[in-house]
Amino acid sequence: MSTHESDVHTFSPELPAMFDGMKLAAVATVLYVIVRCLNLKSPTAPPDLTYQDTPLSRFLLKSCPQLTKEYIPPLLWGKSGHLQTALYGKLGRVSAPHPCGIRKYLPMQDGATATFDLFEPLGNHRLGDDITMVICPGIGNHSEKHYIRTFVDYAQKEGYRCAVLNHLGALPNIELTSPRMFTYGCTWEFAAMVGYIKRAYAQTQLIVVGFSLGGNIVCKFLGENKMNQERVLCCVSVCQGYSALRAQETFLQWDQFRRFYNFLMADNMKKIILSHRHSLFGGSSGQMLFADLGRLFTATSLMQIDESIMRKFHGHSSLKEYYEKESCVHYIHNVNVPLLLVNSADDPLVHDSLLKIPHTLAAKKSNVIFALTLHGGHLGFFEGAVLFPQPLTWMDKVIVGYANAICQWEKQKPPCQSSESS
């Protein structure tokens, strides 16, 4: 009995110390992973701006404080581009409002039916002007998405009319009327919406806004034809990639989990295409239907879907040709209205190499400002103190702030002076 007690007393002082050491090591490891994954040590900073020093740019930077002040994301998770992107993707926005609009249907020449939602302003514009924001959402998105609803509600309250394009095939309750859906850079539906607004509101001036894929479409639309820039005060593009051809290689890489995001977006595109399978493939031969759907079911990337399905809507002979002709990088240098390009350095979908395009453009053209935030993810840009984000994001505020500044500039400039020559 005494021997047994002696053995117990011999080992008991060491065991607690060993377990305490293991606990401390585990806690330290967890904390290290949290700090690294949440990027907690990253500083906050104002956007990194590229622009030419002109009277217009000086006025805009003075009048739109979001471009020069620190963007401060929520402390605990807002410095992670992945969490910003995931929160945008799953929740869209916090306490998203429900703006009331009217859905418009526009028949297209090829038999397709474009739709957009029209929202009248909820108050007077600060300058008493009639201004319409024509808005193009991200890939597979529409006016009912939370981030769009939040932005529209805010813009309405600031006195702006809003017209939001619903990408062809994106609305689940709207059937396609032709064997075609939205693509990466087709501007037909957006052009039809803009044309309707110009005819219906003869006195209105336009502010063009594009999110992600929508940014590519609006910049391509403005650069395709100089007439498309008539009555346009300015354009704002947020989180686009500028060149699909250059982006395709980066989407197959695993850094920043880009390959995983590619898979998720491809899965969403599959669902959209399959929901319209009868409209898209009903007129094809049985063999063609079987071949296309077979490749669609096995696709694990957007590039595979683009190769087997998307490029064929406009008769492109190859994937390279499709990406070349549908990217705004070949048109954006023709845009002469004031242009604000916004990206985030921690956007997991847009590779750093793609940001050379807006940086070079802003350095060469006096009408362009390129704003690169340190944080924000892909269409996140949440703001907040510690944990809970605010309903309005930095993105919402900077677009409206820039639009307000442009309207003020147009109001006070001499009649003979144009924005692009300033």
Side-chain angles (χ1 to χ4, degrees):
M1 184 72 178
S2 60
T3 304
H4 178 69
E5 290 177 353
S6 174
D7 290 340
V8 171
H9 286 297
T10 300
F11 291 100
S12 59
E14 300 174 2
L15 288 175
M18 181 177 68
F19 285 125
D20 286 344
M22 292 173 62
K23 289 177 182 177
L24 287 173
V27 169
T29 302
V30 170
L31 288 176
Y32 174 78
V33 171
I34 289 175
V35 170
R36 287 296 300 270
C37 291
L38 297 184
N39 205 20
L40 294 177
K41 296 180 69 176
S42 177
T44 58
D48 182 30
L49 301 177
T50 305
Y51 63 95
Q52 291 190 13
D53 186 20
T54 66
L56 173 60
S57 62
R58 289 194 295 271
F59 179 84
L60 292 174
L61 297 183
K62 179 181 178 181
S63 305
C64 182
Q66 289 81 14
L67 288 174
T68 54
K69 290 185 177 180
E70 266 189 320
Y71 160 54
I72 304 178
L75 179 63
L76 291 183
W77 54 268
K79 295 179 181 179
S80 166
H82 296 292
L83 288 180
Q84 288 253 18
T85 302
L87 187 59
Y88 142 74
K90 296 301 293 183
L91 298 181
R93 289 295 180 257
V94 180
S95 304
H98 294 269
C100 183
I102 301 173
R103 183 152 295 163
K104 300 289 185 178
Y105 298 82
L106 303 175
M108 308 291 289
Q109 290 185 353
D110 66 343
T113 303
T115 70
F116 72 94
D117 286 19
L118 186 62
F119 304 87
E120 291 296 334
L122 296 178
N124 294 326
H125 190 270
R126 61 177 60 195
L127 299 178
D129 295 333
D130 185 330
I131 311 290
T132 303
M133 287 192 173
V134 283
I135 302 164
C136 193
I139 184 170
N141 290 174
H142 44 73
S143 62
E144 297 175 10
K145 291 293 183 179
H146 286 195
Y147 77 98
I148 295 293
R149 285 164 36 192
T150 300
F151 175 71
V152 166
D153 180 74
Y154 180 48
Q156 282 181 291
K157 291 174 180 176
E158 289 289 314
Y160 292 98
R161 180 186 299 108
C162 294
V164 183
L165 182 69
N166 300 309
H167 284 299
L168 202 60
L171 282 169
N173 58 335
I174 302 292
E175 291 291 331
L176 293 176
T177 58
S178 75
R180 179 174 70 84
M181 58 182 286
F182 76 91
T183 58
Y184 179 69
C186 179
T187 59
W188 296 352
E189 291 79 49
F190 188 75
M193 179 180 76
V194 170
Y196 177 93
I197 294 297
K198 286 182 176 180
R199 292 189 301 271
Y201 303 93
Q203 302 303 315
T204 196
Q205 292 179 293
L206 305 180
I207 290 176
V208 179
V209 180
F211 298 100
S212 192
L213 172 140
N216 177 74
I217 289 176
V218 301
C219 289
K220 182 171 177 281
F221 166 75
L222 292 175
E224 283 176 333
N225 191 322
K226 192 174 182 180
M227 292 180 62
N228 292 344
Q229 299 178 47
E230 293 179 357
R231 292 168 60 183
V232 173
L233 293 178
C234 66
C235 175
V236 182
S237 163
V238 184
C239 287
Q240 69 151 306
Y242 306 97
S243 171
L245 187 63
R246 300 187 201 180
Q248 66 164 336
E249 298 176 359
T250 70
F251 263 112
L252 296 175
Q253 300 168 0
W254 277 102
D255 67 300
Q256 293 294 313
F257 300 100
R258 202 168 290 106
R259 184 67 179 85
F260 177 67
Y261 287 106
N262 189 0
F263 174 80
L264 294 179
M265 289 190 292
D267 188 60
N268 187 54
M269 281 298 298
K270 281 186 190 181
K271 293 175 182 176
I272 295 176
I273 294 171
L274 291 173
S275 70
H276 297 289
R277 61 196 299 175
H278 298 297
S279 300
L280 295 174
F281 304 104
S284 304
S285 66
Q287 182 178 1
M288 185 67 175
L289 173 64
F290 177 80
D292 285 344
L293 287 181
R295 285 189 289 268
L296 177 64
F297 280 119
T298 58
T300 59
S301 71
L302 287 174
M303 284 69 74
Q304 291 172 328
I305 295 175
D306 290 341
E307 169 62 38
S308 60
I309 305 291
M310 305 301 288
R311 69 174 177 84
K312 299 177 182 179
F313 291 140
H314 294 281
H316 295 296
S317 60
S318 67
L319 192 62
K320 180 179 180 181
E321 179 186 281
Y322 168 63
Y323 286 154
E324 283 280 5
K325 292 191 174 181
E326 301 232 338
S327 295
C328 77
V329 67
H330 304 296
Y331 303 89
I332 197 170
H333 60 276
N334 296 326
V335 178
N336 293 317
V337 299
L339 176 60
L340 175 64
L341 303 173
V342 178
N343 286 95
S344 171
D346 66 354
D347 186 337
L349 304 186
V350 180
H351 192 269
D352 291 347
S353 61
L354 299 171
L355 300 180
K356 295 177 183 177
I357 297 171
H359 184 273
T360 301
L361 186 74
K364 290 182 177 180
K365 288 183 66 74
S366 61
N367 63 304
V368 182
I369 294 178
F370 173 46
L372 181 65
T373 61
L374 200 56
H375 310 108
H378 190 77
L379 296 181
F381 298 104
F382 291 97
E383 289 184 307
V386 180
L387 181 61
F388 298 104
Q390 300 170 3
L392 277 180
T393 68
W394 178 88
M395 178 180 79
D396 303 317
K397 296 173 185 176
V398 77
I399 296 173
V400 171
Y402 180 83
N404 288 340
I406 286 289
C407 292
Q408 181 67 45
W409 171 263
E410 291 292 321
K411 203 80 169 179
Q412 70 176 36
K413 72 180 185 183
C416 61
Q417 188 178 18
S418 62
S419 296
E420 57 268 24
S421 64
S422 301

